[in-house]
Amino acid sequence: MHHNGLRTAVLLGGLSALIVAAGAWLGGGTGAQFAFVLALVSNGVAYFFSDRIALSAMRARPVSEVEQPTLYRIVRELSTEARQPMPRLYISPTVQPNAFATGRSPRRAAVCVTYGLTKLLDEAELRGVIGHELSHVYNRDILISSVAGALATMITWLSYVAVFFGGSDDDEGPGFLGALLMMLLGPIAATMVQMAITRTREFQADEAGARLTGDPLALASALRKIEMGARRLPLPENSRLTSASHMMIANPFSGSGLARLFSTHPPTSERVARLERMAGYRR
């Protein structure tokens, strides 16, 4: 976990430097200063408000133990088993089955499940999903993902702003074609950053969650059901949901075209195969 945290810190530091460099390329010294301030603000917002942003994107609300006694029992049992504080629990009215965890530390964490998830999975499968999300919390993945998402959003924003600074014919700016190229490549670069961080961490959370629950096959079954449900009921790819999508246990979008090519989630079939190997399952 320490090694992964160090690698991610280096990645995020390098990405912040790229944002400042892009600002300098687009606007000289003034652009660099502006980009530096924006990078600091972005990190600050991601650190202190990432949970509220993600929960708001999914229209989630706090859920009581009276409403979801099974969910509370599962989370309480797994938190106790891991000797960690119990996170806040939320439910989203979304009919697509999905789940995510957010928050900057185990003591400030929140786990959100969708209404569709609670109706689709049995108790063992729900336990597997909760174990996966709690593992993200305990491995400090959520803060890293939040900051990465904020910085990736910054790259996208800068790529569009580049058009307004790139129309000059002098030699001081990137020129219109350079700015247009940045506008096209910026969103792809942003997604690549999220993908590089998320894919490995999903495998790690699958393994850690399966060890926490002691039932890899239940999580494997849940992942199959969630993928089929997400395909039938894909979420709209608006900016708010896109910023939170990399936190979810499965890709919430349709996954066609470039969306599939630059998916922030590893293939479900590969995740299931790894879990089956953990359980010693042979086809």
Side-chain angles (χ1 to χ4, degrees):
M1 183 173 66
H2 173 73
H3 179 64
N4 289 335
L6 179 60
R7 289 179 58 190
T8 305
V10 171
L11 173 63
L12 297 182
L15 185 55
S16 297
L18 284 176
I19 291 174
V20 174
W25 183 56
L26 296 171
T30 301
Q33 294 175 11
F34 185 57
F36 178 74
V37 172
L38 286 176
L40 288 180
V41 171
S42 177
N43 278 281
V45 169
Y47 185 82
F48 289 106
F49 302 107
S50 60
D51 55 343
R52 299 182 190 180
I53 294 171
L55 292 168
S56 175
M58 291 295 290
R59 297 180 291 123
R61 63 172 178 82
V63 63
S64 69
E65 188 166 2
V66 173
E67 294 176 90
Q68 291 288 337
T70 301
L71 178 64
Y72 263 80
R73 175 169 51 79
I74 291 172
V75 175
R76 184 177 291 113
E77 289 174 355
L78 293 179
S79 298
T80 301
E81 176 68 21
R83 299 181 180 179
Q84 294 283 351
M86 183 172 172
R88 294 167 290 146
L89 300 184
Y90 287 77
I91 191 166
S92 165
T94 306
V95 293
Q96 180 194 100
N98 227 313
F100 66 94
T102 185
R104 63 181 185 266
S105 70
R107 292 191 176 278
R108 298 178 180 272
V111 171
C112 176
V113 299
T114 64
Y115 174 80
L117 187 82
T118 64
K119 295 300 181 182
L120 179 65
L121 304 186
D122 62 32
E123 183 172 335
E125 293 164 340
L126 180 59
R127 188 179 181 90
V129 169
I130 296 301
H132 171 100
E133 297 304 335
L134 290 178
S135 294
H136 273 312
V137 173
Y138 303 153
N139 291 334
R140 309 290 177 135
D141 291 343
I142 305 306
L143 173 59
I144 293 168
S145 297
S146 299
V147 174
L151 292 176
T153 300
M154 183 68 68
I155 291 178
T156 304
W157 184 85
L158 284 174
S159 69
Y160 285 101
V161 171
V163 172
F164 297 98
F165 288 92
S168 176
D169 294 328
D170 57 34
D171 296 331
E172 296 180 1
F176 179 77
L177 291 179
L180 182 61
L181 181 63
M182 186 175 179
M183 185 186 75
L184 294 174
L185 295 180
I188 296 177
T191 304
M192 291 292 284
V193 170
Q194 291 181 330
M195 182 175 65
I197 291 178
T198 304
R199 287 197 169 203
T200 299
R201 296 188 184 282
E202 287 303 313
F203 287 133
Q204 292 172 343
D206 285 345
E207 180 179 352
R211 293 189 187 283
L212 179 61
T213 62
D215 193 351
L217 294 181
L219 177 55
S221 176
L223 289 174
R224 290 194 195 95
K225 288 185 177 180
I226 292 170
E227 181 184 43
M228 288 188 293
R231 286 182 178 180
R232 286 196 301 266
L233 300 165
L235 297 185
E237 295 188 44
N238 60 50
S239 58
R240 295 184 70 196
L241 290 175
T242 300
S243 67
S245 63
H246 64 288
M247 296 183 186
M248 298 183 191
I249 193 169
N251 182 8
F253 304 130
S254 60
S256 59
L258 285 177
R260 176 177 292 275
L261 179 61
F262 296 109
S263 173
T264 58
H265 293 76
T268 298
S269 58
E270 188 173 347
R271 297 172 68 181
V272 168
R274 289 178 178 228
L275 289 166
E276 289 177 342
R277 286 196 295 269
M278 280 187 67
Y281 178 78
R282 296 290 183 273
R283 291 183 182 277

